[in-house]
Amino acid sequence: MATIGLDSIYYSIITDGESGETYATPVKLAKATKADLSVEFSEGTLYADDALCEAVKEFKSAKLTLGVDDLSAAAASALTGATIDQNKVLVHNAEDSAPYVAIGFRAKKSNGNYRYYWLYRGKFGIPSDSLETKGDSIKFAEKSIEGTFMRREKAGDDGSHAWKAQVDADDTGVQTSTISGWFTSVYEPDFTA
């Protein structure tokens, strides 16, 4: 079913350990205006006996561009590694190192239900600004921030390394607790019987 909305963008800072990622409690990022997700694949083909006999397409990485109404200094600092000085000024340094984060959000579907997402491991660059002088009409300027996402370090119960989780609230068999707790912690895949 088609989506007609977007809201509730959260981020969670990742701490890496010997057993993989540990996710901090998710924090609301900002009001959402857009989320563009594009996926890159590694591909390979094998030709034999004058014909294609095998093709492989594997996940490589994903680019997420988020549009938000504004980005607080605290959120920009958390996502990009920039610092906030004693005067509460956000300072981007050449030596900044962005932390790994997980990003969650939801999209409203045309039937009124929601589709929920978590992207498990990514890094963001410095947010872009598009500013314009005020003319005859008012135009809003929004913030845009782009991140590159990859697979998790931590293997799931089935031995695989997830990069994204997605669920529709109205899918058959989806637990109410899965939806109600979606933004209270980063969703952990469960492949146990």
Side-chain angles (χ1 to χ4, degrees):
M1 182 162 294
T3 58
I4 58 171
L6 171 70
D7 67 10
S8 302
I9 299 177
Y10 284 79
Y11 68 92
S12 172
I13 302 294
I14 294 173
T15 303
D16 286 322
E18 288 184 24
S19 61
E21 294 89 348
T22 301
Y23 298 98
T25 301
V27 176
K28 180 97 171 170
L29 178 62
K31 292 181 180 179
T33 61
K34 72 174 183 173
D36 292 326
L37 180 65
S38 60
V39 181
E40 294 182 33
F41 296 96
S42 293
E43 300 182 60
T45 55
L46 175 64
Y47 287 84
D49 289 339
D50 296 333
L52 177 64
C53 67
E54 293 210 33
V56 175
K57 189 177 248 190
E58 295 179 347
F59 173 78
K60 183 177 174 183
S61 66
K63 295 265 188 235
L64 176 66
T65 303
L66 291 175
V68 294
D69 67 330
D70 199 7
L71 199 57
S72 70
S77 174
L79 292 181
T80 67
T83 54
I84 299 174
D85 75 6
Q86 292 190 14
N87 295 315
K88 304 301 178 201
V89 174
L90 180 67
V91 179
H92 291 278
N93 298 297
E95 297 81 12
D96 290 345
S97 179
Y100 285 105
V101 298
I103 292 288
F105 52 91
R106 70 180 189 173
K108 189 171 188 176
K109 300 183 343 177
S110 59
N111 67 0
N113 286 298
Y114 286 90
R115 180 170 296 145
Y116 292 80
Y117 298 84
W118 271 109
L119 303 179
Y120 283 117
R121 185 177 180 85
K123 276 195 179 201
F124 281 95
I126 297 171
S128 65
D129 287 309
S130 178
L131 307 171
E132 186 176 327
T133 191
K134 187 169 71 170
D136 291 337
S137 62
I138 296 173
K139 293 182 182 179
F140 288 97
E142 64 182 48
K143 289 279 193 179
S144 179
I145 187 165
E146 183 176 277
T148 300
F149 284 80
M150 61 212 73
R151 72 179 203 150
R152 292 177 12 150
E153 293 294 320
K154 179 173 32 177
D157 298 339
D158 65 345
S160 64
H161 296 85
W163 71 274
K164 177 176 91 165
Q166 174 182 321
V167 66
D168 287 9
D170 57 340
D171 278 351
T172 304
V174 174
Q175 300 292 320
T176 305
S177 60
T178 300
I179 300 305
S180 65
W182 196 259
F183 297 120
T184 58
S185 63
V186 175
Y187 177 77
E188 286 291 340
D190 182 4
F191 295 104
T192 59

